[in-house]
């Protein structure tokens, strides 16, 4: 995910990035890559981005404390790693947690942001500008809400891909080839989502606009969400993801 975000951030001339990674061989044009922290030992940065596995934070980040400028900010995409833990590991007061999702790869991501009380407006504006390069940024006022963002948006692409998969299988069961079913389903989903995004109407209103009384869409919808089964399934899906996020704190 760090690489996906960096690919979008590097497109802007407003920032200079240095990556420390002993394993990465290539980075986007204009990005500096070093293999060890010792290569930047005498340098200071106004933004320190934590893009490592959560279980590595306590061991790795203390070594980088001296690299953060006085008054700088730490931004972390390490899932489940709390502000308090990041502050302890980096000795920084200003910390912003970020929960991005996979469509950031194509600048269509939705990211949740939470800032510690020590963050200034400038800190928040800088990180928000970065995340806007990868899609939409949504601030939350409580750290717990970031786990809820994880349940809805962070894990959300997986739900959508699974819904698409089962929809494609249903189309194949009606006699279409895999290629035909994929084109029909993904094209329909794309068109419907873009229509919803571009409309001031609620999704319920849009649904009703294509549902003729006693028509084919009504028959399909009655099977899809009979007795509110789909509504309850989605509620349980997001609740399960949130519960797991809490367990991983």
């Amino acid at each position: 995910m760090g690489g996906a975000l960096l690919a979008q951030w590097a497109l802007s001339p407003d920032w200079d990035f240095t990556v420390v990674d002993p394993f990465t061989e290539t980075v986007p044009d204009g990005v500096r890559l070093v293999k060890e922290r010792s290569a930047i030992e005498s340098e200071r940065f106004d933004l320190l981005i934590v893009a490592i596995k959560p279980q590595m934070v306590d061991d790795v980040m203390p070594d980088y404390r001296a690299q953060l400028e006085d008054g700088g900010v730490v931004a972390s995409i390490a899932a489940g790693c709390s502000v308090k833990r990041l502050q302890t590991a980096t000795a920084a007061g200003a910390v912003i947690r970020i929960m991005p999702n996979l469509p950031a790869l194509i600048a269509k991501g939705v990211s949740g942001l939470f800032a510690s009380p020590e963050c200034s407006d400038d800190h928040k504006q800088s990180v928000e500008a970065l995340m806007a390069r990868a899609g939409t940024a949504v601030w939350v006022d409580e750290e717990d809400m970031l786990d809820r963002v994880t349940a809805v948006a962070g894990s959300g692409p997986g739900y959508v891909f699974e819904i698409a998969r089962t929809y494609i299988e249903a189309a194949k069961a009606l006699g279409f080839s895999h290629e035909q079913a994929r084109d029909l389903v993904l094209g329909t989903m794309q068109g419907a989502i873009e229509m919803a995004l571009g409309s001031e109407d609620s999704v319920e209103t849009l649904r009703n606009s294509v549902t003729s009384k006693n028509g084919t869409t009504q028959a399909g919808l009655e099977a899809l969400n009979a007795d509110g089964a789909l509504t309850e399934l989605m509620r349980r899906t997001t609740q399960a993801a949130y519960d797991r996020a809490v367990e991983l704190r």
Side-chain angles (χ1 to χ4, degrees):
M1 182 56 72
L5 292 171
L6 182 62
Q8 300 301 327
W9 296 341
L11 296 176
S12 172
D14 298 331
W15 300 290
D16 295 315
F17 293 95
T18 295
V19 173
V20 183
D21 192 324
F23 305 109
T24 295
E25 298 298 331
T26 59
V27 291
D29 291 342
V31 174
R32 174 189 175 203
L33 174 64
V34 300
K35 296 294 186 178
E36 299 178 355
R37 188 196 65 83
S38 59
I40 59 167
E41 191 165 5
S42 62
E43 299 180 44
R44 303 292 181 269
F45 302 86
D46 55 7
L47 172 62
L48 192 62
I49 298 171
V50 181
I52 57 177
K53 295 182 183 299
Q55 58 266 33
M56 298 171 62
V57 167
D58 298 330
D59 293 329
V60 172
M61 296 314 300
D63 290 340
Y64 288 84
R65 291 176 176 177
Q67 267 57 66
L68 186 65
E69 288 274 14
D70 292 341
V73 59
V74 172
S76 171
I77 64 169
C81 191
S82 69
V83 164
K84 183 178 180 180
R85 186 175 160 202
L86 289 162
Q87 288 175 326
T88 299
T90 64
V95 170
I96 295 177
R97 285 187 58 194
I98 304 167
M99 172 46 64
N101 68 2
L102 188 61
L105 281 164
I106 59 170
K108 295 289 186 179
V110 178
S111 300
L113 305 176
F114 173 76
S116 69
E118 295 85 352
C119 289
S120 67
D121 288 343
D122 285 344
H123 289 149
K124 291 188 281 188
Q125 288 168 8
S126 294
V127 174
E128 182 175 349
L130 277 177
M131 297 314 300
R133 298 288 308 182
T136 301
V138 177
W139 287 98
V140 296
D141 295 328
E142 300 175 15
E143 190 166 10
D144 175 69
M145 290 301 295
L146 210 60
D147 288 328
R148 299 172 192 265
V149 171
T150 301
V152 175
S155 299
Y159 314 152
V160 174
F161 293 145
E162 178 63 4
I163 290 168
R165 183 193 68 80
T166 59
Y167 193 176
I168 289 170
E169 291 301 313
K172 289 163 64 176
L174 287 176
F176 294 103
S177 69
H178 178 77
E179 291 75 15
Q180 290 173 322
R182 190 178 190 277
D183 289 345
L184 286 167
V185 168
L186 297 185
T188 297
M189 293 178 74
Q190 179 183 26
I193 292 300
E194 290 184 0
M195 185 175 177
L197 288 171
S199 175
E200 295 182 358
D201 292 330
S202 68
V203 291
E204 182 178 8
T205 297
L206 292 171
R207 180 206 63 194
N208 292 342
S209 72
V210 298
T211 307
S212 301
K213 186 175 181 179
N214 297 321
T216 59
T217 305
Q218 180 177 325
L221 288 170
E222 288 175 351
L224 180 66
N225 201 16
D227 299 322
L230 180 61
T231 300
E232 175 60 16
L233 178 60
M234 291 307 300
R235 188 201 66 77
R236 288 194 289 112
T237 297
T238 53
Q239 185 66 45
Y242 167 69
D243 291 344
R244 181 57 177 157
V246 171
E247 291 174 1
L248 293 173
R249 287 178 185 171

